[in-house]
Amino acid sequence: MIEYARNILGFKEAQHAEYDPYASSLFISQLACSLAGREMQLNFVPESQVNVIYDSLSAKERYYCNFGVNPDCIPLLKQGPMIISGSDAEGEVRVIEYPNHPFFIGTLFVPQERSTPEQPHPLITAFLAAVVSYSV
């Protein structure tokens, strides 16, 4: 998100509150309420890449974070090509995608948390499939 803000949107001073809490342009800020250890329902944008990968418009995922997309920056983020493709029940950003890329998906949750060798997480499987098809 920081690199996107800096290099695509032109906000060279974009920062993350964990590393520079007093920066003038915080694209990632501390969440009002920690999500560490919480499981939350996600809603996906119809026909987004995550919607297709999950074959569903919703999913439950587990979080381990104290930082997220700064709500003040959402209108700025929407000015570029990146899309917000998943949000929680309160409408907070939880999944982003860069369109027309084989696999550029960012999540605030931890996909590997519920992934096992017997049942890999759908995002992990989709990532591996994109790598294989891209390298062929």
Side-chain angles (χ1 to χ4, degrees):
M1 187 64 69
I2 299 298
E3 292 304 317
Y4 175 77
R6 288 177 182 165
N7 297 306
I8 302 297
L9 299 178
F11 291 90
K12 300 299 180 197
E13 303 299 316
Q15 286 293 345
H16 189 300
E18 187 173 16
Y19 308 112
D20 191 356
Y22 304 108
S24 61
S25 190
L26 290 174
F27 272 75
I28 305 296
S29 59
Q30 188 159 11
L31 298 171
C33 180
S34 173
L35 297 180
R38 290 180 59 193
E39 186 173 276
M40 296 172 63
Q41 187 73 25
L42 288 164
N43 299 307
F44 303 131
V45 170
E47 300 180 32
S48 62
Q49 196 172 4
V50 290
N51 165 227
V52 172
I53 290 168
Y54 277 82
D55 192 26
S56 177
L57 288 173
S58 65
K60 270 195 174 177
E61 293 292 353
R62 184 167 287 282
Y63 296 82
Y64 291 96
C65 54
N66 296 312
F67 295 86
V69 175
N70 181 345
D72 296 337
C73 294
I74 292 172
L76 299 171
L77 294 172
K78 288 181 176 181
Q79 291 177 9
M82 188 175 289
I83 63 165
I84 297 168
S85 57
S87 57
D88 64 17
E90 290 83 38
E92 297 291 328
V93 176
R94 301 296 180 232
V95 184
I96 51 106
E97 299 178 11
Y98 197 87
N100 303 320
H101 186 280
F103 193 93
F104 193 105
I105 298 173
T107 69
L108 200 58
F109 59 88
V110 182
Q112 59 271 33
E113 165 63 24
R114 69 177 183 95
S115 190
T116 66
E118 298 77 28
Q119 262 192 320
H121 190 283
L123 287 177
I124 294 172
T125 303
F127 173 71
L128 293 173
V131 169
V132 169
S133 68
Y134 187 74
S135 62
V136 172

